Amino acid sequence: MSVKRLCDINSFKSILNSSKNILVLTGAGVSAESGIPVFRGPGGFWNNHNAMELATVNAFQRSPSLVWGFYNFRRKIAFNAKPNKAHVALAKLEKEFEESPGRKMTLITQNVDGLHVRAGSKNIIQLHGALDQVKCTNPNCRVITLNMNVPITPAFSNDEMSNEELAGIQFSELPKCQLCNSLVRPHILWFGESYNHNVLARCGDLAEQCDLCILVGTSMTVYPANQFALTVADSGRTVAEFNLNPEASKDNFKFFFSGPCGITLPHALGYDNL
Ligand code: BV8
Ligand code: ZN
């Protein structure tokens, strides 16, 4: 890394305290200490499938029951997980900003586990959807509903089912829309699916307008979610990254705090007694 990286808390805190408009971007690493496997690395596999292969429209069209088996597994982990101190610290920071006139904090998360919402974050964009919501596949319906059922239907009650057994689950046993009885899918943005144009435009505006970007627990792999922090840094504004290691970090990110963000983030934000 050619540029010297600041990781001194006092310099960070003085920039934080003078910031009016903060954009926080989080990825799977912010939920790792809550027991949610990150996307890449060993956690990115389920039943010998790479998560990336299953998080696609083609996979769902090929075998909706196998993909529902994958999401049923992830829903169970997410719904039983608890927000960790990084989630709580970000919710606390947002509340502090809300209470000081003229200051704003917005959180964009790539995660679908819902832990930021459960920690109390309100000004949040769940860019890739949420595990606790399902969407009707009927193009004339497409209703999105909250669904916390674990298992998603009784057919998925055995956690040890093989890929073959999952693929063999009958269509009649898959989750259906309460309005039109069509098949529902996870309300998740899959690989190859386009973002809602307005949401993407809003995220771009937030990246253009913020005076500080706090980047937590992301490998910066997924496009275009990986562009927002680059927009901030490329325009000379401050990006402070919190990650286990500088694997995907950029030279023009002004701060890099290395280590588990459940420890480094509350400390940097001055919340040592969470
Ligand atoms: C789109 C829902 C067009 C699913 C997700 C080739 C090259 C480049 C790009 C592409 C390409 N081929 C295709 C693309 C585009 C593709 C893409 O980016 N693919 C990548 C993977 C190659 N993108 C898309 O398809 C997107 N759509 O591009 O449409 C378009 C574009 C613009 C405008 C209109 C249309 C849609 C992508 C949405 C995918 N859905 N989630 C689900 O969850 O089931 S993304 C998925 O990956 C997760 O949400 C996850 O959050 C996200 C990103 O990964 P990370 O969050 O970064 O997690 P990762 O495991 O990678 O890293 C964890 C990090 O945490 C590591 O850095 C680690 O060090 C750190 N960490 C771990 N523990 C800790 C920690 N840090 C701190 N503390 C810790 N304790
Ligand atoms: Zn419907």
Side-chain angles (χ1 to χ4, degrees), residues 28 33 39-40 71 74 110 192-193 218-219 223 243 247:
E33 289 154 85
F39 234 72
R40 282 153 199 91
Y71 282 93
R74 290 180 58 204
Q110 298 172 90
E193 289 193 297
T218 178
S219 63
Y223 175 86
N243 199 308
E247 56 171 3

Side-chain angles (χ1 to χ4, degrees), residues 26-30 32-33 38-41 51-52 55 70-71 74 110-112 128 131 188-195 200 216-224 226 241-245 247-248 259-262:
T26 65
V30 80
E33 289 154 85
V38 295
F39 234 72
R40 282 153 199 91
M52 309 261 287
F70 172 50
Y71 282 93
R74 290 180 58 204
Q110 298 172 90
N111 301 342
V112 296
H128 294 151
L131 286 169
I188 295 273
L189 188 76
W190 281 330
F191 289 97
E193 289 193 297
S194 294
Y195 291 76
L200 210 54
V216 191
T218 178
S219 63
M220 299 276 282
T221 315
V222 172
Y223 175 86
N226 58 5
E241 183 174 13
F242 294 76
N243 199 308
L244 275 187
N245 51 51
E247 56 171 3
C261 58

Side-chain angles (χ1 to χ4, degrees), residues 141-155:
C141 176
R142 306 194 74 68
V143 72
I144 295 167
T145 46
L146 185 69
N147 179 312
M148 300 290 288
N149 300 338
V150 175
I152 184 76
T153 69

